[in-house]
């Protein structure tokens, strides 16, 4: 039987610390009194449930929430941190891959999202290096959303297991 007390325990401890530190107005933590911190607290609770109670399905939402919260905290503080759609897809792929590590389920989705995020994050640089901005690859790039839609339709309606 899975331990159901870990998730609410982490939520209560995390929110309690958050509001206590906010109430005491400690200058050291002033920049963390924002909604991304609340996302991270809920994500850490999911990860605690996932790893602590061996409820491995909670790893995916935990990774996504912690990753999104971390992203929103550091995006304007670190110049090397990408502020790009590919970053969000990379975080989602990390969640699928971490869940796969424990459940052996979701590897295809993890690799698919990882590939998509790498393409989105580095496409401009790769194309710039290769000098293929104008040409066949440039015009083919316009159709990538259609390729994603086709893959989704295939997974939903055609592929049966």
């Amino acid at each position: 039987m899975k331990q159901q007390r870990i998730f609410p325990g982490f939520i209560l401890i995390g929110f309690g610390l958050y509001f206590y530190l906010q109430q005491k107005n400690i200058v050291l933590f002033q920049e963390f009194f924002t909604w991304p911190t609340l996302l991270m607290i809920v994500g850490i609770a999911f990860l605690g449930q996932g790893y602590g109670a061996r409820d491995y399905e909670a790893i995916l939402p935990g990774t996504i929430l912690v990753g999104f919260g971390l992203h929103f905290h550091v995006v304007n503080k670190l110049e090397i941190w990408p502020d790009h759609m590919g970053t969000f897809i990379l975080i989602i792929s990390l969640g699928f891959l971490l869940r796969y590590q424990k459940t052996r389920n979701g590897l295809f989705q993890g690799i698919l999202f990882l590939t998509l995020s790498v393409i989105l994050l580095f496409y401009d640089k790769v194309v710039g290096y290769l000098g293929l901005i104008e040409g066949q690859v440039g015009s083919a790039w316009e159709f990538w959303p259609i390729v994603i839609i086709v893959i989704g339709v295939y997974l939903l309606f055609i592929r049966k297991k």
Side-chain angles (χ1 to χ4, degrees):
M1 184 171 143
K2 295 183 173 140
Q3 299 172 344
Q4 297 298 320
R5 69 182 194 280
I6 291 176
F7 181 76
F10 270 110
I11 291 284
L12 291 173
I13 291 169
F15 279 16
L17 282 171
Y18 175 85
F19 291 119
Y20 177 77
L21 292 173
Q22 188 178 32
Q23 189 179 47
K24 293 299 179 186
N25 203 15
I26 299 173
V27 178
L28 179 65
F29 300 110
Q30 196 69 28
E31 64 186 44
F32 295 108
F33 300 137
T34 58
W35 63 270
T37 302
L38 296 175
L39 278 181
M40 291 179 68
I41 291 170
V42 174
I44 290 168
F46 271 113
L47 289 174
Q49 179 71 26
Y51 286 107
R54 295 189 174 120
D55 182 10
Y56 299 128
E57 294 300 320
I59 293 173
L60 178 63
T63 305
I64 291 171
L65 290 173
V66 169
F68 283 12
L70 180 69
H71 170 75
F72 289 120
H73 269 299
V74 300
V75 70
N76 294 322
K77 292 177 181 59
L78 295 175
E79 290 196 25
I80 62 168
W81 192 269
D83 187 16
H84 193 279
M85 179 61 72
T87 307
F88 296 109
I89 296 172
L90 179 65
I91 293 167
I92 294 168
S93 73
L94 178 63
F96 274 110
L97 294 173
L98 287 174
R99 188 183 70 172
Y100 170 76
Q101 182 183 20
K102 293 294 185 179
T103 64
R104 298 292 179 227
N105 186 14
L107 179 63
F108 174 74
Q109 293 91 340
I111 291 174
L112 180 70
F113 283 127
L114 181 64
T115 304
L116 181 61
S117 69
V118 168
I119 289 170
L120 288 173
L121 285 170
F122 299 111
Y123 177 77
D124 294 337
K125 292 179 183 176
V126 171
V127 168
Y129 291 142
L130 297 176
L132 298 174
I133 294 175
E134 299 294 327
Q136 295 174 344
V137 175
S139 62
W141 180 247
E142 295 175 18
F143 298 105
W144 73 268
I146 295 171
V147 172
I148 292 174
I149 292 169
V150 169
I151 292 171
V153 168
Y154 171 78
L155 291 174
L156 281 176
F157 301 111
I158 299 171
R159 183 177 175 205
K160 305 273 184 185
K161 278 193 173 187

